[in-house]
Amino acid sequence: VRLVAALGHDPANAEIRETLAGETGLASTLLPRDMASDLSTIWLDGAGENVIASSNFCAHSVTPADARAELSDLTPGDWLVLQGNLTLEATQAAITIAKAARAFVLLNTAPMQGWMAGLLAQVDVLVANEVEALQLTGTADVSLPAILAAGAGIVIVTRGARGASLLGPEGAIDRPAPRVEAVDTAGAGDMFVGTFAAGLAMKLPILAALDLAVAAASVSVTRRGTTSSFPTRAELKALAARG
């Protein structure tokens, strides 16, 4: 796994680098910026649900030229995972490079951007939560193939405690989540997307990758924090073994 991100020149820099260095199997390319690192502030309600406010000055500093330079080593079958922090121009450049390399593109609509609907025809897998699906299509009903009609190859709609739904050319498949006591949902969407993308990269059947992602996200909501709540490699292997 390789992470490419812009990082500011501030006290958070060292903490972020130290955290990333502790991740097994992760190579990080951190683009230095003479500004503050992006910050997310998370509020939790009594049920563990979250509201997040984020800055994106560093992310918006990533240029199409940065994307072309950092993604030049993509190869056929690789997966490029994008979300809504970058500008349209940088996102489009990254997608163009991936398509030229015959790599696959997964777009996560968090945070949602108004220009995302115009990119769907270039996206192999789209992952959106119910609110984001509503913003994209005017309906959060996954049985309505509005997103597919716009060109996305496969659409995943995450539904929190109710699991996730996969919508493809052959119809919709619902996958329930295990019943757990949620204490903090912050990071669950990231856990889902990362696990699902990893499953696809490891060539798991798509429903097996979906089930593993739902299970991993369900574990993360039972713990406080974001990266600190994520299952370990050993826990993920145990979840995969349980099917």
Side-chain angles (χ1 to χ4, degrees), residues 70-90:
E70 300 303 332
L71 301 179
S72 61
D73 58 350
L74 283 175
T75 60
D78 285 347
W79 279 89
L80 172 66
V81 178
L82 296 163
Q83 56 180 158
N85 297 93
L86 303 178
T87 63
L88 167 60
E89 293 75 18

Side-chain angles (χ1 to χ4, degrees), residues 104-129:
F104 300 108
V105 175
L106 185 155
L107 176 64
N108 177 210
T109 54
M112 178 64 194
Q113 303 293 340
W115 43 257
M116 285 180 167
L119 299 180
L120 296 185
Q122 305 171 69
V123 172
D124 297 290
V125 175
L126 182 84
V127 179
N129 64 27

Side-chain angles (χ1 to χ4, degrees), residues 218-234:
S218 297
V219 170
S220 76
V221 302
T222 66
R223 305 167 179 173
R224 296 198 180 277
T226 50
T227 56
S228 60
S229 73
F230 295 167
T232 63
R233 280 176 174 259

Side-chain angles (χ1 to χ4, degrees), residues 4-239:
V4 179
L7 184 62
H9 181 68
D10 59 3
N13 183 300
E15 182 179 357
I16 292 169
R17 289 181 180 276
E18 182 180 357
T19 299
L20 294 175
E23 292 288 337
T24 301
L26 176 66
S28 300
T29 299
L30 301 176
L31 309 176
R33 296 293 188 261
D34 189 18
M35 61 179 71
S37 300
D38 289 335
L39 175 70
S40 291
T41 304
I42 304 170
W43 291 268
L44 297 178
D45 65 17
E49 296 295 332
N50 66 72
V51 176
I52 303 174
S54 300
S55 62
N56 56 10
F57 298 107
C58 267
H60 275 195
S61 75
V62 176
T63 65
D66 289 328
R68 287 188 286 270
E70 300 303 332
L71 301 179
S72 61
D73 58 350
L74 283 175
T75 60
D78 285 347
W79 279 89
L80 172 66
V81 178
L82 296 163
Q83 56 180 158
N85 297 93
L86 303 178
T87 63
L88 167 60
E89 293 75 18
T91 302
Q92 179 62 77
I95 291 175
T96 299
I97 295 161
K99 290 301 180 182
R102 290 184 289 134
F104 300 108
V105 175
L106 185 155
L107 176 64
N108 177 210
T109 54
M112 178 64 194
Q113 303 293 340
W115 43 257
M116 285 180 167
L119 299 180
L120 296 185
Q122 305 171 69
V123 172
D124 297 290
V125 175
L126 182 84
V127 179
N129 64 27
E130 289 182 295
V131 173
E132 293 155 358
L134 174 63
Q135 292 172 323
L136 271 176
T137 67
T139 175
D141 185 353
V142 75
S143 67
L144 299 177
I147 304 177
L148 282 180
I154 292 173
V155 178
I156 306 292
V157 175
T158 58
R159 299 182 177 279
R162 292 179 287 122
S165 299
L166 181 151
L167 180 62
E170 298 179 357
I173 298 174
D174 296 326
R175 286 307 214 226
R179 296 180 67 87
V180 298
E181 183 178 348
V183 298
D184 185 349
T185 62
D190 298 310
M191 186 72 237
F192 178 94
V193 171
T195 304
F196 184 64
L200 296 177
M202 292 187 294
K203 303 189 185 307
L204 292 180
I206 191 165
L207 291 182
L210 180 63
D211 289 341
L212 182 59
V214 169
S218 297
V219 170
S220 76
V221 302
T222 66
R223 305 167 179 173
R224 296 198 180 277
T226 50
T227 56
S228 60
S229 73
F230 295 167
T232 63
R233 280 176 174 259
E235 289 174 318
L236 285 170
K237 287 182 180 179
L239 290 172

